[in-house]
Short mmCIF file of all heavy atoms in Angstrom, two decimals:
data_model
loop_
_atom_site.label_atom_id
_atom_site.label_comp_id
_atom_site.label_asym_id
_atom_site.label_seq_id
_atom_site.Cartn_x
_atom_site.Cartn_y
_atom_site.Cartn_z
N ASP F 349 35.29 -36.44 20.28
CA ASP F 349 35.03 -36.42 21.71
C ASP F 349 35.52 -35.12 22.37
O ASP F 349 35.89 -35.09 23.51
CB ASP F 349 35.66 -37.65 22.38
CG ASP F 349 37.07 -37.89 21.87
OD1 ASP F 349 37.62 -36.98 21.19
OD2 ASP F 349 37.63 -38.96 22.15
N PHE F 350 35.59 -34.07 21.59
CA PHE F 350 35.86 -32.74 22.14
C PHE F 350 34.86 -31.78 21.52
O PHE F 350 34.16 -32.13 20.58
CB PHE F 350 37.31 -32.31 21.85
CG PHE F 350 37.65 -32.22 20.40
CD1 PHE F 350 37.50 -31.03 19.69
CD2 PHE F 350 38.11 -33.34 19.71
CE1 PHE F 350 37.80 -30.95 18.35
CE2 PHE F 350 38.42 -33.27 18.36
CZ PHE F 350 38.26 -32.08 17.68
N ILE F 379 41.14 -24.38 24.49
CA ILE F 379 42.01 -23.80 23.46
C ILE F 379 41.24 -22.66 22.81
O ILE F 379 40.19 -22.88 22.21
CB ILE F 379 42.38 -24.86 22.41
CG1 ILE F 379 43.04 -26.06 23.10
CG2 ILE F 379 43.29 -24.27 21.33
CD1 ILE F 379 43.07 -27.31 22.25
N ILE F 451 42.20 -26.93 16.25
CA ILE F 451 41.44 -28.19 16.22
C ILE F 451 42.39 -29.38 16.20
O ILE F 451 42.13 -30.42 16.80
CB ILE F 451 40.44 -28.16 15.04
CG1 ILE F 451 39.29 -27.22 15.43
CG2 ILE F 451 39.93 -29.55 14.68
CD1 ILE F 451 38.24 -26.98 14.38
N ARG F 452 43.55 -29.22 15.56
CA ARG F 452 44.54 -30.29 15.55
C ARG F 452 45.11 -30.56 16.96
O ARG F 452 45.52 -31.65 17.29
CB ARG F 452 45.69 -29.92 14.60
CG ARG F 452 45.89 -30.96 13.50
CD ARG F 452 46.90 -30.49 12.48
NE ARG F 452 46.30 -29.65 11.47
CZ ARG F 452 46.94 -28.69 10.81
NH1 ARG F 452 48.22 -28.42 11.07
NH2 ARG F 452 46.32 -27.98 9.90
N ARG F 453 45.12 -29.53 17.80
CA ARG F 453 45.67 -29.67 19.15
C ARG F 453 44.70 -30.34 20.11
O ARG F 453 45.09 -30.76 21.20
CB ARG F 453 45.97 -28.29 19.76
CG ARG F 453 47.06 -27.52 19.11
CD ARG F 453 47.38 -26.29 19.97
NE ARG F 453 48.15 -26.65 21.14
CZ ARG F 453 49.47 -26.71 21.15
NH1 ARG F 453 50.16 -26.39 20.07
NH2 ARG F 453 50.12 -27.08 22.23
N ALA F 454 43.38 -30.36 19.75
CA ALA F 454 42.36 -30.78 20.72
C ALA F 454 42.48 -32.25 21.09
O ALA F 454 42.68 -33.11 20.23
CB ALA F 454 40.97 -30.50 20.16
N LYS F 455 42.36 -32.53 22.41
CA LYS F 455 42.37 -33.90 22.94
C LYS F 455 40.96 -34.16 23.50
O LYS F 455 40.16 -33.23 23.65
CB LYS F 455 43.39 -33.99 24.07
CG LYS F 455 44.80 -33.59 23.66
CD LYS F 455 45.62 -34.83 23.44
CE LYS F 455 46.98 -34.63 22.80
NZ LYS F 455 47.54 -33.31 22.66
N PRO F 456 40.64 -35.44 23.84
CA PRO F 456 39.32 -35.73 24.40
C PRO F 456 38.95 -34.78 25.55
O PRO F 456 39.81 -34.46 26.38
CB PRO F 456 39.45 -37.17 24.89
CG PRO F 456 40.49 -37.76 24.00
CD PRO F 456 41.45 -36.67 23.66
N ASN F 457 37.70 -34.35 25.57
CA ASN F 457 37.12 -33.45 26.59
C ASN F 457 37.53 -31.99 26.46
O ASN F 457 37.09 -31.15 27.22
CB ASN F 457 37.41 -33.91 28.02
CG ASN F 457 36.77 -35.24 28.30
OD1 ASN F 457 35.65 -35.48 27.85
ND2 ASN F 457 37.48 -36.11 28.99
N ASP F 458 38.41 -31.68 25.53
CA ASP F 458 38.81 -30.28 25.38
C ASP F 458 37.69 -29.46 24.72
O ASP F 458 36.78 -30.01 24.10
CB ASP F 458 40.06 -30.16 24.49
CG ASP F 458 41.31 -30.65 25.22
OD1 ASP F 458 41.20 -30.98 26.42
OD2 ASP F 458 42.39 -30.69 24.58
N VAL F 459 37.79 -28.15 24.87
CA VAL F 459 36.89 -27.24 24.16
C VAL F 459 37.74 -26.30 23.30
O VAL F 459 38.66 -25.66 23.81
CB VAL F 459 36.07 -26.37 25.13
CG1 VAL F 459 35.19 -25.38 24.34
CG2 VAL F 459 35.19 -27.24 26.02
#
Side-chain angles (χ1 to χ4, degrees):
D349 45 12
F350 60 92
I379 303 163
I451 286 176
R452 238 173 275 151
R453 293 189 77 88
K455 303 258 170 12
N457 296 321
D458 287 356
V459 177

